Amino acid sequence: MLRPARGKTVDFLPAGKRFDRWEEIKNPPIEDWLALLDSVRRRINRRLLRPEEEGKLEKSISERFPGQEL
């Protein structure tokens, strides 16, 4: 599960029930980052996020996973 970004960070938390205790995932896999990118793109299309958020996230992914095609 993803938690919205605070500032320039994105928190990845394991999926659980709403009132379960959540713990941060320190090094989430590329699949989680790509799922986040997909959801950001959908929210941009619905005008819920600004278009520059996609570029910021793509930059962050490419820094963590060099050579990965988005």
Side-chain angles (χ1 to χ4, degrees):
M1 176 151 306
L2 306 172
R3 189 167 66 187
R6 284 192 233 152
K8 295 184 179 183
T9 64
V10 176
D11 298 330
F12 286 88
L13 306 170
K17 295 183 180 176
R18 182 176 179 183
F19 297 106
D20 286 348
R21 194 166 186 105
W22 293 7
E23 295 181 23
E24 183 178 355
I25 298 174
K26 297 293 181 190
N27 295 316
I30 186 69
E31 292 83 16
D32 288 348
W33 286 98
L34 295 177
L36 176 61
L37 181 60
D38 180 54
S39 64
V40 165
R41 287 175 175 161
R42 285 185 279 123
R43 291 179 62 86
I44 289 170
N45 287 335
R46 291 183 280 180
R47 298 176 191 238
L48 298 172
L49 285 176
R50 295 178 305 190
E52 54 268 8
E53 296 299 326
E54 181 180 3
K56 290 178 187 177
L57 183 57
E58 286 176 346
K59 180 181 175 189
S60 182
I61 293 171
S62 64
E63 289 172 355
R64 291 176 187 268
F65 303 97
Q68 178 68 35
E69 291 186 30
L70 303 178

